[in-house]
Amino acid sequence: MTAGFDGRRCCAYRLAVHPDHRRQGVATALLEAAERRFAALGGRRVDALVLEDNVRAHHAWGAAGYRREDHWRRWVKPL
Ligand SMILES: CC(C)(COP(=O)(O)OP(=O)(O)OC[C@H]1O[C@@H](n2cnc3c(N)ncnc32)[C@H](O)[C@@H]1OP(=O)(O)O)[C@@H](O)C(=O)NCCC(=O)NCCS
């Protein structure tokens, strides 16, 4: 997992746990560590990009207290 803070936004990326070690609280521990660090830096909200069809991820993010916001869409420009 990567956790990034640009001084305003806290972003959590690439949350993944090896299949042999899932459902043992590893993702929960990673997120809690990132959230503690964000909070210490003054962050107030964490953003995560989660694919619409990744139901397993929805469960994991939801269990960690994250909620989907329907009014956003990702805008991108390939370089
Ligand atoms: C999503 C992922 C990171 C979760 O990692 P994990 O270490 O297994 O998660 P945790 O053990 O911390 O799970 C915490 C809670 O999330 C929920 N959860 C996690 N995986 C779940 C699953 N497959 N089905 C239902 N709920 C799930 C449960 O509530 C779980 O608590 P519990 O085990 O006490 O019931 C892991 O499944 C993974 O690497 N998936 C592939 C990569 C991926 O899709 N990453 C997300 C990108 S946005």
Side-chain angles (χ1 to χ4, degrees), residues 15-17 22-28 49 54 56-57 59-61 63:
L15 176 65
V17 174
R22 290 180 186 165
R23 300 306 291 270
Q24 297 172 42
V26 176
T28 302
L49 290 173
N54 191 346
R56 181 171 48 205
H59 286 299
W61 287 104

Side-chain angles (χ1 to χ4, degrees), residues 1 15 17 24-36 60 63-64:
M1 171 189 177
L15 176 65
V17 174
Q24 297 172 42
V26 176
T28 302
L30 289 169
L31 286 171
E32 287 176 355
E35 290 163 5
R36 278 196 300 275

Side-chain angles (χ1 to χ4, degrees), residues 12-65:
Y13 306 94
R14 305 180 71 85
L15 176 65
V17 174
H18 190 284
D20 293 348
H21 300 289
R22 290 180 186 165
R23 300 306 291 270
Q24 297 172 42
V26 176
T28 302
L30 289 169
L31 286 171
E32 287 176 355
E35 290 163 5
R36 278 196 300 275
R37 182 76 177 130
F38 285 144
L41 292 168
R44 299 177 61 188
R45 188 192 72 204
V46 185
D47 292 353
L49 290 173
V50 184
L51 287 171
E52 280 289 278
D53 62 358
N54 191 346
V55 175
R56 181 171 48 205
H58 297 179
H59 286 299
W61 287 104

